């Protein structure tokens, strides 16, 4: 943990850190390895909060445009847009963030594009770590500080970037100890380092690399920033097909292959094989989830979202995931 990061004010224990508490925060970063479901889960978390009557801002950090598909709206811009009652969405953009920062804090009126300034800035940003990141994180923290929304949910870039982003205020602060910079980073740290305000939800799937990256992320965030992962969302978990007794029946059916072919036709063994493959895949997933559980500190709660057996896309997928996460919550958030 960075030397300037204050200790966590409260220790969120496993029994407390469920989604109720996740949704009680005012800022949630949703992160995880590429393709694990960050965008879908971020939109689902926002959905649950909106259903509860909250005013929610969803922020897309990676400019891929997937968030606009998930909430079924047109391309997102830096200017937040209300996509439906209670839900706003925006896409992060460093140049617009710089423009807004200069207008709000330095009070420089800027007309039109800020190309030359942005180029100088790019030069600076490439030379000094944390400079670009702080504009994005500053914009997010500003929305939280101003209480423009009840909840800000950030659909972050894949795992690698989040440590640099969340850590930017500490990095800059340690680099430049001058008054203005110190003041300009302190309020961000006050937002980020308060576990009652800010949470990181790490999304994973029941596969080897996503689990490994999740555990690495937890260590890296803990060591290099004042923010810790509070919740792991295990996404795309395959539901158990059989209970123990039925599994026994199924195994005996496999052994009676010849008998089944005679009784139900040649396709019988294809069906048995397909179900067997699905069960084997679930078992491998369960082993990865066990490795995840074993590696997680007790303070981190895991909530589960199932593999959705649907061809639906966009908002429908998000709504189904929101239902599943909300149901997890009713069961106390752990499996
Ligand atoms: N639980 C689920 N069941 C079935 N499909 C899912 C589930 N979660 C996500 N998906 C699908 O997986 C795909 C990837 O999800 P998503 O875009 O949310 O991942 P991501 O982590 O944001 O990806 P990227 O790293 O590219 O930003 C999407 O098509 C989404 O609909
Ligand atoms: Mg995404």
């Amino acid at each position: 943990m960075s030397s300037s990061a204050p200790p966590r004010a409260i220790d969120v224990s496993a029994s407390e850190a469920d989604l109720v508490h996740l949704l009680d925060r005012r800022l949630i970063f949703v992160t995880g390895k590429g393709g694990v479901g960050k965008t879908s889960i971020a939109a689902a978390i926002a959905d649950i909060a909106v259903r509860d009557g909250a005013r929610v801002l969803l922020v897309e950090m990676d400019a891929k445009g997937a968030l606009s598909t998930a909430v079924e709206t047109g391309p997102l811009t830096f200017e937040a847009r209300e996509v439906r009652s209670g839900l706003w969405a925006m896409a992060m953009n460093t140049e617009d963030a710089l423009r807004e920062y200069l207008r709000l804090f330095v009070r420089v009126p800027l007309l039109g594009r800020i190309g030359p300034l942005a180029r100088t800035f790019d030069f600076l940003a490439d030379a000094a770590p944390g400079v670009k990141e702080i504009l994005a994180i500053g914009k997010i923290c500003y929305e939280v500080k101003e209480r423009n929304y009840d909840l800000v949910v950030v659909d972050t870039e894949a795992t690698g970037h989040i440590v640099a982003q969340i850590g930017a205020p500490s990095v800059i602060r340690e680099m430049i100890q001058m008054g203005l910079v110190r003041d300009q980073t302190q309020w961000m740290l006050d937002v980020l380092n308060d576990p009652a305000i800010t949470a990181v939800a790490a999304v994973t799937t029941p596969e080897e690399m996503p689990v490994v990256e999740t555990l690495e992320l937890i260590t890296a965030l803990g060591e290099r920033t004042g923010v810790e992962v509070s919740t792991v969302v295990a996404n795309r978990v395959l539901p158990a097909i059989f209970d123990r007794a039925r599994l026994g029946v199924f195994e005996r059916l496999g052994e009676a292959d010849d008998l089944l072919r005679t009784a139900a036709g040649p396709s019988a063994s294809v069906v048995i094989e397909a179900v067997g493959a699905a069960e084997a895949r679930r078992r491998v997933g369960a082993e990865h989830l066990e490795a995840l559980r074993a590696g997680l500190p007790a303070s981190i709660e895991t909530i589960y979202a199932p593999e959705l057996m649907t061809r639906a896309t966009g908002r429908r997928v998000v709504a189904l995931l929101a239902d599943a996460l909300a149901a997890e919550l009713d069961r106390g958030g752990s499996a």
Side-chain angles (χ1 to χ4, degrees):
M1 186 176 292
S2 128
S3 58
S4 63
R8 289 166 63 94
I10 54 168
D11 182 21
V12 185
S13 76
S15 61
E16 290 171 325
D18 60 21
L19 199 62
V20 180
H21 291 79
L22 185 65
L23 287 171
D24 278 346
R25 321 286 173 104
R26 284 162 43 208
L27 171 59
I28 302 171
F29 292 94
V30 180
T31 186
K33 187 173 163 37
V36 293
K38 295 179 292 298
T39 301
S40 312
I41 296 289
I45 289 172
D47 212 30
I48 299 172
V50 170
R51 289 181 198 178
D52 283 351
R55 290 160 48 91
V56 181
L57 172 67
L58 259 171
V59 183
E60 175 167 72
M61 295 293 270
D62 65 8
K64 278 188 186 156
L67 191 60
S68 66
T69 309
V71 296
E72 291 184 3
T73 185
L76 297 174
T77 58
F78 184 75
E79 201 67 47
R81 188 170 70 240
E82 188 169 16
V83 294
R84 59 175 196 270
S85 181
L87 181 67
W88 283 259
M90 64 165 282
M92 188 53 72
N93 169 315
T94 313
E95 185 174 321
D96 284 329
L98 175 61
R99 188 201 304 270
E100 187 176 270
Y101 176 84
L102 293 173
R103 185 170 52 79
L104 285 172
F105 294 100
V106 191
R107 306 204 191 286
V108 180
L110 285 162
L111 300 168
R113 285 179 60 80
I114 50 168
L117 186 56
R119 275 194 292 280
T120 313
F121 173 78
D122 272 347
F123 171 75
L124 249 175
D126 288 341
V131 171
K132 229 169 206 166
E133 287 80 5
I134 201 146
L135 282 171
I137 213 75
K139 163 69 176 171
I140 291 164
C141 290
Y142 181 75
E143 296 299 332
V144 176
K145 181 170 87 76
E146 293 295 298
R147 292 186 178 266
N148 290 335
Y149 306 91
D150 299 311
L151 174 67
V152 177
V153 181
V154 185
D155 172 20
T156 72
E157 289 149 295
T159 329
H161 298 275
I162 187 151
V163 177
Q165 252 157 11
I166 289 187
S170 312
V171 168
I172 300 258
R173 199 183 140 92
E174 274 163 27
M175 218 164 48
I176 313 167
Q177 298 280 353
M178 286 174 344
L180 177 68
V181 174
R182 202 179 46 231
D183 298 347
Q184 283 300 313
T185 49
Q186 187 54 51
W187 67 267
M188 293 184 204
L189 290 169
D190 290 344
V191 168
L192 293 171
N193 291 352
D194 184 345
I197 298 177
T198 299
V200 174
V203 183
T204 186
T205 46
E207 296 168 289
E208 187 175 2
M209 283 321 290
V211 165
V212 168
E213 274 198 25
T214 302
L215 295 174
E216 283 172 359
L217 172 74
I218 289 165
T219 309
L221 270 179
E223 282 174 2
R224 291 169 49 198
T225 76
V227 189
E228 284 173 24
V229 172
S230 55
T231 308
V232 168
V233 182
N235 187 27
R236 309 196 76 150
V237 175
L238 288 169
I241 306 173
F242 305 117
D243 59 20
R244 200 177 287 272
R246 288 187 180 143
L247 190 61
V249 173
F250 174 70
E251 277 162 2
R252 285 199 296 283
L253 280 177
E255 287 156 16
D257 201 33
D258 287 347
L259 219 66
L260 272 176
R261 275 166 186 270
T262 320
S267 312
S269 46
V270 178
V271 172
I272 298 267
E273 256 173 49
V275 177
E279 174 58 17
R281 206 181 134 213
R282 188 199 65 79
R283 256 190 239 172
V284 171
E287 281 165 21
H288 291 305
L289 287 181
E290 196 41 54
L292 175 70
R293 250 190 299 267
L296 282 182
S299 59
I300 298 177
E301 180 79 347
T302 306
I303 57 174
Y304 298 84
E307 173 74 36
L308 297 171
M309 307 296 180
T310 171
R311 287 197 187 153
T313 55
R315 216 179 130 183
R316 178 83 191 118
V317 168
V318 170
L320 289 170
L321 280 175
D323 290 344
L325 291 178
E328 271 285 289
L329 170 67
D330 288 340
R331 291 209 305 272
S334 76

